[in-house]
Amino acid sequence: AQTVTQSQPEMSVQEAETVTLSCTYDTSESDYYLFWYKQPPSRQMILVIRQEAYKQQNATENRFSVNFQKAAKSFSLKISDSQLGDAAMYFCAYRTYTSGTYKYIFGTGTRLKVLA
Amino acid sequence: SQTIHQWPATLVQPVGSPLSLECTVEGTSNPNLYWYRQAAGRGLQLLFYSVGIGQISSEVPQNLSASRPQDRQFILSSKKLLLSDSGFYLCAWRSGQGYHEQYFGPGTRLTVT
């Protein structure tokens, strides 16, 4: 079964600095999707970025980018020029196809604190 | 554009009382729908998913059930709540037409007393 591991329960970053959140996963599939979601204090889950496993190029969305290492099964999120509004829980997720539908497996999350 | 609604936003219920949480999606048809529970400080646990009207799959045996009476409506229910049912419940949808990510509703905070 697929698993997603986020080994950093909490991270801190100074405003305007760069921070990297780690995520590793375990799978025997060759084609899949990976995602990072942000959950601010409102608890609304917001999609930050996605990565297709068949694409070698790392995804980027403005200040957010990923470092996707398929062989190592690693999918880290880099936040550049951190802002106070980036403070949130960040969840890594893996999408798998099973039993006739797509399911999403989430890590336990990393709480990011942004220091002014 | 698509939107997803959940209600109520907050609910406090006594042990042994029934539960009904509702989720509706607008702006899409035949979505895949999901119910998750998030315990305090934890990740998301998939409870149920549905690929169509009346089609419900359960991920974990528990005190809860789900139904999908209409294409864009997903309901989470319980006949008798337990203390362990407390948590944050999230509904999510995914388009069945080639999109890859899930989109989440605002969630319902349930406290069982």
Side-chain angles (χ1 to χ4, degrees):
Chain A
Q2 294 84 4
T3 59
V4 176
T5 302
Q6 293 180 251
S7 59
Q8 306 156 315
E10 189 172 296
M11 293 280 286
S12 296
V13 62
Q14 205 69 35
E15 197 175 5
E17 297 295 309
T18 296
V19 65
T20 299
L21 308 183
S22 300
C23 173
T24 59
Y25 58 94
D26 188 25
T27 184
S28 58
E29 298 176 329
S30 58
D31 188 20
Y32 49 87
Y33 283 77
L34 295 161
F35 309 89
W36 279 97
Y37 282 88
K38 171 185 177 182
Q39 188 179 42
S42 67
R43 304 195 76 172
Q44 170 83 56
M45 293 283 283
I46 302 165
L47 177 69
V48 175
I49 200 166
R50 76 173 186 196
Q51 174 75 43
E52 298 90 344
Y54 64 86
K55 287 188 176 180
Q56 294 185 347
Q57 185 175 7
N58 290 322
T60 61
E61 286 288 341
N62 301 314
R63 297 182 295 106
F64 298 87
S65 62
V66 300
N67 183 6
F68 174 50
Q69 302 289 328
K70 190 173 183 179
K73 299 179 182 176
S74 172
F75 181 59
S76 60
L77 175 69
K78 185 172 80 171
I79 306 174
S80 304
D81 185 25
S82 297
Q83 301 174 358
L84 294 177
D86 295 333
M89 283 288 288
Y90 286 83
F91 292 95
C92 177
Y94 173 100
R95 191 195 78 171
T96 182
Y97 186 79
T98 181
S99 303
T101 192
Y102 290 103
K103 297 181 186 178
Y104 299 76
I105 301 165
F106 287 81
T108 52
T110 296
R111 182 175 302 281
L112 178 65
K113 295 183 177 180
V114 181
L115 308 174
Chain B
S1 63
Q2 300 88 2
T3 56
I4 179 169
H5 304 279
Q6 281 186 250
W7 64 87
T10 304
L11 192 60
V12 180
Q13 293 283 91
V15 169
S17 64
L19 173 73
S20 181
L21 304 182
E22 189 165 343
C23 170
T24 58
V25 182
E26 296 177 356
T28 187
S29 60
N30 196 30
N32 293 168
L33 296 172
Y34 305 79
W35 277 113
Y36 291 89
R37 177 167 57 202
Q38 184 180 25
R42 303 289 297 276
L44 277 66
Q45 177 188 33
L46 178 62
L47 302 176
F48 301 94
Y49 63 92
S50 171
V51 299
I53 296 174
Q55 301 178 63
I56 308 295
S57 296
S58 174
E59 282 295 290
V60 292
Q62 57 205 331
N63 187 41
L64 302 169
S65 62
S67 61
R68 185 169 176 176
Q70 300 180 44
D71 181 45
R72 290 168 289 177
Q73 184 184 31
F74 204 23
I75 297 172
L76 183 69
S77 303
S78 173
K79 293 182 178 178
K80 290 185 178 182
L81 284 168
L82 305 172
L83 285 174
S84 58
D85 291 324
S86 293
F88 190 65
Y89 289 82
L90 286 158
C91 180
W93 74 274
R94 173 191 161 271
S95 171
Q97 299 174 355
Y99 291 85
H100 307 292
E101 53 268 14
Q102 286 184 313
Y103 295 95
F104 288 83
T108 296
R109 184 186 306 276
L110 171 66
T111 303
V112 182
T113 60

